[in-house]
């Protein structure tokens, strides 16, 4: 009998824990073009624990307005029962579209499947082998509603269409708290994603759910996703350099909190950047306090829209190249978190330039130096 009770309490991706929202605040000041949410969730009685660097998975719900627009477009009855898997489990159509399926992403596979239910010549043409580029372009930034509007009329039941859809996937967010500092809690830093594409406002499924529809006291289905490739050095005496602009600050808040609780002696240097110092300096008062307390040795900020020229974290690294290289030479770990497309590449290249310049090396040697750091686990990236 004992094992049964233990099993019931094991929460995971396949059995997420309903975590109560304790706090949900916007970190950006009035007038900011961004909305970054600081969320605190209760893990009480979940048995879930985490390490600095780990991520939290959230299973989101789709925007009720988007679900309503799909039902309206297809003149479907939201109470119609549909099968959601091969085991024959059923849900009402509204529930299936809200909680079970991805409706904001399109793929070649979905369009190929949908082609059987319409006589649209336009869709047939898009699916031709020679039109691969156009197909890719079409699926980018469009969703199920676009497809239903663009290629009708449809000879399809609700079941036919939902059978084409992918199951909702969890969204992973870097944890922004230390378990040691906040037992029974987990904190997240989530930037709300909103943009206009193809004449419609698009919203990030999870980020906007959290920003617009999640109140304190609500629950969210969560699980812990360990990250073996992004963690503090074992010794608290080791120096750490952290580059985390925007929501990339999240894991470093967790690192700093952990080191504050453990009273470690290693130095810590943070590079943080965003648009405006007045409205976008996330966790400013906390970070300033940590500096006063000596937990953070150095903080260098880059606010790109505050001056005539755009200044980013990599520019601050270059300005501090001598000291940065000295820290690396004395064994510091170097961490980067945030945007994969631009920031992480720029930081990577700047790091090579710093090593090349201050180490008096060729580019090739500087790259080898960084590769060695990576192999020793001293250069770690959490990029998305």
């Amino acid at each position: 009998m004992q094992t049964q009770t233990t099993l019931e309490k094991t929460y995971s991706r396949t059995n997420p824990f309903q975590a109560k929202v304790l706090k949900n605040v916007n970190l950006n000041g009035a007038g900011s073009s961004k909305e970054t949410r600081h969320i605190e969730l209760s893990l009480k009685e979940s048995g879930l624990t985490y390490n600095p660097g780990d991520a939290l998975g959230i299973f989101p719900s789709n925007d009720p307005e988007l679900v309503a627009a799909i039902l309206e477009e297809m003149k479907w009855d939201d109470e119609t029962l549909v099968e959601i898997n091969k085991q024959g489990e059923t849900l009402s159509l509204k529930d299936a579209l809200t909680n079970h399926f991805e409706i904001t992403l399109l793929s070649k596979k979905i369009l190929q499947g949908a082609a059987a239910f319409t006589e649209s010549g336009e869709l047939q043409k898009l699916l031709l082998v020679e039109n691969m580029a156009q197909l890719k372009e079409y699926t980018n930034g469009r969703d199920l509603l676009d497809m239903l509007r663009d290629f009708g009329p449809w000879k399809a039941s609700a079941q036919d269409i939902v059978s084409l859809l992918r199951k909702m996937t969890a969204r992973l967010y870097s944890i922004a708290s230390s378990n040691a500092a906040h037992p029974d809690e987990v904190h997240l830093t989530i930037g709300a994603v909103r943009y206009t594409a193809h004449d419609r406002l698009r919203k990030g499924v999870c980020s906007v759910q959290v920003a617009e529809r999640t109140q304190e006291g609500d629950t969210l289905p969560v699980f812990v996703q360990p990250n073996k490739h992004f963690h503090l050095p074992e010794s608290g005496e080791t120096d750490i350099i952290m580059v985390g602009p925007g929501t990339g600050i999240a894991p470093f808040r967790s690192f700093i909190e952990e080191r504050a609780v453990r009273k470690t002696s290693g130095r810590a240097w943070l590079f943080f950047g965003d648009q405006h110092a007045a409205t976008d300096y996330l966790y400013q008062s906390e970070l300033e306090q940590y500096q006063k307390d000596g937990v953070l040795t150095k903080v260098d900020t880059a606010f790109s829209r505050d001056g005539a020229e755009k200044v980013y974290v990599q520019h601050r690294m270059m300005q501090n190249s001598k000291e940065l290289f000295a820290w690396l030479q004395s064994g510091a770990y170097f961490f980067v978190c945030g945007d994969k497309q631009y920031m992480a590449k720029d930081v990577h290249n700047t790091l090579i330039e710093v090593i090349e310049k201050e180490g008096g090396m060729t580019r090739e040697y500087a790259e080898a130096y960084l590769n060695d750091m990576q192999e020793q686990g001293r250069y770690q990236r959490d990029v998305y």
Side-chain angles (χ1 to χ4, degrees), residues 40 50-52 175-187 253-263 286 290:
E40 299 185 1
Y50 56 88
N51 293 310
I175 291 174
S177 55
S178 148
N179 218 162
H182 306 275
D184 289 339
E185 283 183 21
V186 62
H187 301 175
R253 182 176 182 262
S254 140
F255 282 15
I256 295 159
E257 284 190 349
E258 182 80 7
R259 285 199 145 192
V261 171
R262 304 257 179 253
K263 298 189 167 41
E286 282 183 27
Y290 282 126

Side-chain angles (χ1 to χ4, degrees), residues 8-22 40-49 56-59 184-186 218-224:
E8 278 169 14
K9 289 195 171 172
T10 311
Y11 293 104
S12 63
R13 185 187 282 268
T14 51
N15 182 30
F17 174 69
Q18 292 291 340
K20 189 175 176 184
V21 180
L22 304 172
E40 299 185 1
L41 298 162
S42 170
L43 292 180
K44 240 192 189 87
E45 290 166 16
S46 69
L48 292 173
T49 58
L56 191 78
I58 299 179
F59 281 103
D184 289 339
E185 283 183 21
V186 62
D218 290 352
T219 61
L220 290 170
V222 306
F223 60 93
V224 172

Side-chain angles (χ1 to χ4, degrees), residues 122-247:
E122 214 179 318
L123 180 56
Q124 304 298 342
K125 192 175 158 197
L126 200 56
L127 291 167
L128 294 172
V129 177
E130 59 267 31
N131 293 332
M132 281 284 284
Q134 287 94 308
L135 178 66
K136 199 169 179 214
E137 196 184 322
Y138 180 83
T139 54
N140 191 12
R142 284 191 173 88
D143 61 17
L144 180 62
L145 181 59
D146 293 304
M147 179 189 89
L148 295 173
R149 283 179 176 169
D150 292 347
F151 304 121
W154 298 91
K155 311 186 295 286
S157 66
Q159 183 69 61
D160 292 331
I161 299 295
V162 299
S163 297
L164 304 171
L165 303 177
R166 263 179 41 188
K167 191 170 182 255
M168 177 77 84
T169 53
R171 287 7 184 213
L172 294 175
Y173 295 99
S174 306
I175 291 174
S177 55
S178 148
N179 218 162
H182 306 275
D184 289 339
E185 283 183 21
V186 62
H187 301 175
L188 301 174
T189 312
I190 299 179
V193 176
R194 297 183 183 91
Y195 58 96
T196 301
H198 314 296
D199 306 321
R200 272 180 47 214
L201 174 64
R202 314 283 164 162
K203 298 175 175 185
V205 178
C206 194
S207 67
V208 174
Q209 175 186 351
V210 157
E212 294 180 3
R213 307 194 303 278
T214 304
Q215 312 298 323
E216 289 169 13
D218 290 352
T219 61
L220 290 170
V222 306
F223 60 93
V224 172
Q225 178 71 39
N227 185 351
K228 293 181 179 63
H229 306 290
F230 198 80
H231 53 82
L232 280 165
E234 285 189 12
S235 164
E237 290 169 24
T238 306
D239 297 338
I240 57 174
I241 301 163
M242 303 165 282
V243 181
T247 54

